[in-house]
């Protein structure tokens, strides 16, 4: 009975977190179209990449006229943290065979946080699954809604929607920064490197350069 109660609570937590976070897909859809992506490109990126911070970083770099390869590399570096989450969750989720591909797609900040907050492995798996399902469905639906809505506005920059992506990106990062002085220093260092490199390098490359520098400090 207690285990059933824990699983039910984990599912409730996961659904609540998932829907709340998934609504940010509206901002990504708007940011992607403002950056020059098509509705289809925005939706495919959410379906396949499915990692908010990396998606916003890619859209921002593309919108600034950055090289696609450099923009994608920067986004991949931001998404690389999910690999570390996967190592931490492997023992809890116990996925095997083809199911591991589906589970790997769901390893993001929110699913990891909900899973690790549970009191036992069964509740952790229930929380992970509920969060993944809620975030994935909501994020992709709202990406479509944001992209379609923005596409009808003519030039979204005239309404200031080009600021939506950076603002939402900061909102996604802010809770992490407030919990760790080390992360604040790393973020400030990465920002300083990117700002210093911006006048001399093509758009997208400064972000990549700062990501490499911060990653080097983190794994030292």
């Amino acid at each position: 009975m207690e285990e059933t109660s824990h699983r039910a609570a984990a599912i409730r937590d996961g659904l609540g977190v998932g829907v709340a976070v998934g609504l940010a897909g509206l901002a990504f859809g708007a940011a992607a179209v403002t950056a020059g992506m098509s509705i289809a490109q925005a939706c495919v990126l959410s379906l396949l990449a499915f990692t908010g911070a990396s998606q916003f970083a890619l859209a921002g770099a593309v919108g600034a006229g950055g090289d696609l390869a450099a923009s994608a590399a920067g986004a991949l570096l931001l998404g690389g943290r999910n690999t570390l989450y996967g190592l931490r969750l492997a023992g809890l989720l116990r996925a095997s065979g083809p199911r591991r591909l589906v589970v790997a797609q769901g390893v993001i900040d929110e699913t990891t946080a909900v899973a690790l907050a549970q009191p036992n492995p069964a509740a952790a798996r229930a929380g992970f699954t509920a969060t993944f399902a809620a975030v994935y469905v909501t994020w992709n639906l709202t990406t479509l809604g944001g992209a379609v809505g923005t596409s009808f506005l003519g030039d979204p920059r005239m309404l200031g929607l080009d600021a939506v992506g950076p603002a939402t990106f900061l909102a996604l990062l802010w809770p992490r920064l407030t919990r760790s002085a080390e992360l604040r220093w790393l973020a400030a260092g990465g920002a300083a490197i990117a700002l210093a490199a911006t006048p001399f390098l093509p758009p997208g490359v400064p972000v990549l350069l700062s990501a490499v520098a911060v990653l080097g400090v983190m794994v030292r």
Side-chain angles (χ1 to χ4, degrees):
M1 178 65 73
E2 185 178 4
E3 181 172 320
T4 301
S5 176
H6 286 318
R7 291 181 63 185
I11 291 171
R12 287 196 301 270
D13 291 345
L15 292 176
V17 169
V19 171
V21 171
L23 290 174
L26 282 168
F28 172 70
V33 170
T34 304
M37 295 184 187
S38 67
I39 296 173
Q41 287 171 330
C43 291
V44 168
L45 189 58
S46 279
L47 284 167
L48 300 182
F50 186 55
T51 173
S54 296
Q55 291 180 227
F56 278 109
L58 178 60
V62 170
D67 175 76
L68 183 58
S71 302
L76 284 171
L77 279 173
L78 282 173
R81 69 191 187 283
N82 293 344
T83 302
L84 301 178
Y85 295 160
L87 294 175
R88 176 67 180 85
L89 291 174
L92 275 177
L93 301 180
R94 296 187 301 188
S96 60
R99 183 170 172 267
R100 285 189 297 181
L101 297 176
V102 178
V103 171
Q105 177 76 341
V107 177
I108 56 175
D109 296 340
E110 292 75 22
T111 55
T112 301
V114 171
L116 294 180
Q118 305 310 315
N120 58 60
R125 289 191 288 274
F128 176 91
T129 301
T131 309
F132 176 24
V135 175
Y136 193 80
V137 171
T138 309
W139 179 270
N140 280 283
L141 288 176
T142 54
T143 293
L144 175 61
V148 170
T150 304
S151 69
F152 286 110
L153 296 178
D155 184 1
R157 292 179 178 83
M158 296 296 292
L159 300 177
L161 290 184
D162 50 330
V164 168
T168 308
F169 186 32
L170 180 60
L172 290 171
L173 291 178
W174 190 254
R176 298 165 182 78
L177 297 179
T178 58
R179 290 196 297 264
S180 171
E182 181 182 17
L183 287 180
R184 289 195 293 273
W185 280 108
L186 289 174
I193 292 171
L195 288 172
T198 294
F200 310 104
L201 297 173
V205 177
V207 174
L208 177 60
L209 183 63
S210 67
V212 171
V214 172
L215 184 61
V217 172
M218 292 180 68
V219 300
R220 181 178 57 185

